[in-house]
Amino acid sequence: MEPLTDPFGRLHDYMRISVTDRCNLRCIYCMPAEGMQFQPQDEIMSYEEITAVVEALAPLGLSKIRLTGGEPLVRKDLDKLVSMIAAIPGIEDISLTTNGLMLPAKAALLKQAGLSRVNISLDSLRQDRFAMITRGGEVAKVLKGIEAAEAAGLSPIKLNVVLMKGINDDEIKDFISLTLNSPLNVRFIEYMPIGSASDAWRQTYLPLETVVEACHEAGWATEEADMPSGNGPSQNQRVVGARGTFGLIHPVSEHFCDNCNRLRLTADGHIKACLYWADEYNVRPLTSDPAAVQALFRKALGNKPHNHEMALALERKAQSHTPTVRRMSQIGG
């Protein structure tokens, strides 16, 4: 069967699936402190519906799945979904993006079900600052989640750090220091205007040259580093002699759209071929018909723009399409 390609010849073999729009934190870049309207449970895709979509796409070359949210671990019995997806022929890798709070209780079960690896969001190592960014979270619990993931054999463990000017940019060296004696991959990510292009975003945005400058200030020599799994957009480096690595993800300043291989499925069953734009296609009514599922994904890819134009948003310039109004928690990271 013809693989999933878009008009620019990009092959799509990777899908990020949101299983819930709910979360046990309220990170400042992800959702507002109050007034967030969560979807009723009957509007959220069932595990059977999600599995049916993956089964329809696997013969077209889909091989990698990432489960996201919201916080995916607040969804009951997520290990059952992992097991269902792992049983589909052609699926080679299942990963999870999480804030890590619930990993101590669930990491081993998820690994047993077929989960390969985890990305854990951690935007500060300082409790007062972490509580501010997450609106009440405890950084010690995330650190325990990292330990639980390592003990369960989930590897590699990647830490996602959204770098924000004036908020956590003075912790760059602290984060890189984590990689010196531990096989962690710390990934610094530029702040993206998903669901919000306000002045607050522009004032907080910081290009990742700051990370390189911090290494120079610390006197660290660095070298390019390969990751043992995952072919994402991170430009990975290593402090010479370190056990772990750090990566730079530049969605705004150096977009990686030319190599995009990603599809997204929202918790309420909408296909998003691009994270940034508003275009969506509701696949949920079609899950019992594999051919119809395949056709709708091909339609979504057929309308996928070449790039997301976030840099134009930063510069207040006109854009060619309409940006999404959904928050990151509603789309899936």
Side-chain angles (χ1 to χ4, degrees):
M1 301 180 72
E2 286 292 320
L4 292 165
T5 56
D6 67 11
F8 307 96
R10 294 174 294 197
L11 178 67
H12 290 67
D13 60 358
Y14 173 29
M15 184 160 65
R16 294 190 169 187
I17 301 173
S18 177
V19 298
T20 180
D21 62 341
R22 298 171 188 267
C23 188
N24 47 5
L25 295 177
R26 292 289 182 275
C27 294
I28 57 176
Y29 54 80
C30 193
M31 65 173 73
E34 298 177 347
M36 191 73 184
Q37 298 295 314
F38 297 108
Q39 291 174 298
Q41 290 303 311
D42 62 358
E43 294 182 7
I44 301 298
M45 292 188 79
S46 69
Y47 288 167
E48 289 75 18
E49 289 171 324
I50 292 171
T51 301
V53 171
V54 178
E55 286 177 334
L57 299 182
L60 307 185
L62 182 70
S63 60
K64 294 181 282 292
I65 299 294
R66 175 172 295 278
L67 301 178
T68 72
E71 170 48 50
L73 293 182
V74 303
R75 181 86 184 255
K76 185 178 179 181
D77 298 326
L78 189 67
D79 59 289
K80 292 184 178 179
L81 177 62
V82 172
S83 180
M84 293 164 72
I85 294 175
I88 298 173
I91 299 302
E92 301 171 353
D93 182 77
I94 306 173
S95 56
L96 175 76
T97 295
T98 174
N99 59 34
L101 297 181
M102 302 176 73
L103 278 176
K106 300 190 176 186
L109 196 60
L110 289 164
K111 174 66 174 178
Q112 184 178 7
L115 189 70
S116 305
R117 52 200 175 88
V118 291
N119 287 17
I120 301 174
S121 299
L122 180 61
D123 297 316
S124 179
L125 297 170
R126 306 178 188 181
Q127 173 52 34
D128 58 342
R129 186 174 293 171
F130 184 82
M132 182 276 292
I133 293 172
T134 61
R135 299 190 176 103
E138 296 180 38
V139 69
K141 291 184 177 180
V142 181
L143 298 178
K144 288 185 181 298
I146 295 170
E147 293 174 359
E150 186 174 16
L154 295 167
S155 178
I157 297 172
K158 301 178 182 180
L159 304 184
N160 290 345
V161 182
V162 177
L163 201 59
M164 294 170 279
K165 182 169 62 177
I167 295 180
N168 64 353
D169 50 324
D170 60 344
E171 294 187 63
I172 293 172
K173 296 173 189 174
D174 296 335
F175 274 109
I176 295 178
S177 292
L178 295 178
T179 72
L180 300 181
N181 299 304
S182 175
L184 295 170
N185 176 240
V186 175
R187 292 137 47 95
F188 296 99
I189 305 171
E190 289 180 339
Y191 193 173
M192 293 179 282
I194 303 301
S196 173
S198 66
D199 285 341
W201 166 69
R202 293 184 180 91
Q203 293 166 6
T204 310
Y205 168 79
L206 188 69
L208 297 187
E209 287 83 357
T210 309
V211 177
V212 178
E213 294 169 1
C215 288
H216 292 161
E217 290 174 2
W220 288 326
T222 62
E223 59 187 2
E224 291 187 9
D226 293 326
M227 289 299 295
S229 65
N231 62 342
S234 179
Q235 299 172 354
N236 295 304
Q237 301 180 43
R238 182 192 315 275
V239 174
V240 174
R243 291 184 63 199
T245 60
F246 67 93
L248 308 178
I249 300 180
H250 310 258
V252 179
S253 65
E254 298 180 26
H255 73 76
F256 33 83
C257 300
D258 286 345
N259 299 315
C260 184
N261 66 336
R262 296 175 179 166
L263 294 159
R264 284 180 169 82
L265 183 64
T266 66
D268 58 353
H270 286 78
I271 304 165
K272 287 188 72 69
C274 178
L275 169 67
Y276 186 59
W277 300 121
D279 299 346
E280 296 185 354
Y281 303 81
N282 187 6
V283 75
R284 192 179 184 194
L286 308 177
T287 55
S288 62
D289 185 345
V293 169
Q294 294 169 354
L296 191 60
F297 270 86
R298 292 192 190 280
K299 179 180 179 180
L301 280 175
N303 292 319
K304 182 170 182 171
H306 183 258
N307 60 62
H308 55 56
E309 301 178 11
M310 289 186 198
L312 295 181
L314 181 65
E315 299 170 5
R316 303 177 188 272
K317 294 182 178 179
Q319 297 170 289
S320 62
H321 294 70
T322 302
T324 183
V325 296
R326 289 215 204 205
R327 298 276 182 169
M328 184 68 84
S329 62
Q330 296 172 310
I331 299 172

